[in-house]
């Protein structure tokens, strides 16, 4: 049990850290850089980035949730459940709040140069920031927990 607990904690923590780091990079670096481009260019870059990011971030979020729950069940403590719930909220926020914007931006019939498209690209960045904050809170909880556990 102890070996499985340790392994599930490592997997959940790494997935959370990597997700949070990637989300932070997108929020602070990639998306602001994208917004310096014309709307058609920003949209084109966003579509490519979104497709690639989805392949990385979805498995990380799922691993964080699944192995966080396993860690909690195996006796790792309530913080693992809190992290799993935070990362679950990231997934649900993406599905129910961000997905409509994603679908519009990915639609081939979207007017690539319109002010509405520009507004949606900007809105996407604001919505993505929520994901970044939630995953960053999960990361802080894990770092705090590991710091407390190492010092005791």
């Amino acid at each position: 049990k102890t070996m499985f607990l340790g392994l599930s904690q490592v997997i959940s923590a790494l997935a959370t850290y990597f997700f949070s780091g990637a989300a932070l990079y997108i929020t602070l670096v990639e998306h602001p850089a994208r917004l310096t481009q014309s709307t058609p260019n920003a949209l084109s870059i966003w579509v490519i980035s979104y497709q690639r990011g989805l392949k990385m971030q979805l498995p990380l979020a799922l691993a964080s949730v699944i192995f966080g729950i396993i860690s909690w069940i195996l006796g790792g403590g309530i913080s693992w459940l809190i992290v799993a719930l935070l990362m679950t909220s990231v997934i649900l926020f993406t599905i129910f709040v961000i997905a409509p914007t994603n679908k519009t931006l990915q639609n081939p019939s979207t007017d690539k140069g319109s002010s509405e498209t520009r507004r949606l690209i900007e809105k996407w960045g604001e919505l993505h920031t929520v994901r970044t904050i939630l995953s960053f809170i999960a990361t802080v909880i894990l770092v705090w927990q590991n710091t407390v556990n190492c010092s005791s």
Side-chain angles (χ1 to χ4, degrees), residues 92-112:
L92 294 175
F93 185 79
T94 302
I95 292 168
F96 294 111
V97 179
I98 301 179
T101 300
N102 292 348
K103 287 179 182 168
T104 302
L105 289 173
Q106 292 179 89
N107 188 330
S109 66
T110 296
D111 182 353
K112 293 173 180 30

Side-chain angles (χ1 to χ4, degrees), residues 17 78-80 82-83 136-152:
Y17 299 156
I78 192 72
S79 59
W80 291 102
I82 293 168
V83 166
F136 189 74
I137 292 169
T139 295
V140 168
I141 289 169
L142 290 176
V143 169
W144 176 78
Q145 172 189 297
N146 289 332
T147 302
V148 169
N149 286 344
C150 286
S151 63
S152 49

Side-chain angles (χ1 to χ4, degrees), residues 14-78:
L14 287 175
T16 304
Y17 299 156
F18 291 153
F19 183 98
S20 178
L24 189 63
Y25 175 82
I26 291 165
T27 298
L28 297 180
V29 179
E30 183 180 313
H31 197 67
R34 182 173 22 247
L35 293 176
T36 67
Q37 302 298 303
S38 67
T39 301
N41 286 347
L43 179 61
S44 176
I45 294 165
W46 180 89
V47 168
I48 294 166
S49 178
Y50 171 78
Q51 292 166 350
R52 295 176 67 100
L54 179 64
K55 291 175 186 172
M56 181 186 80
Q57 287 197 294
L58 180 59
L60 289 173
L62 290 172
S64 175
V65 170
I66 292 165
F67 288 98
I69 291 170
I70 291 170
S71 296
W72 172 64
I73 289 170
L74 293 177
I78 192 72

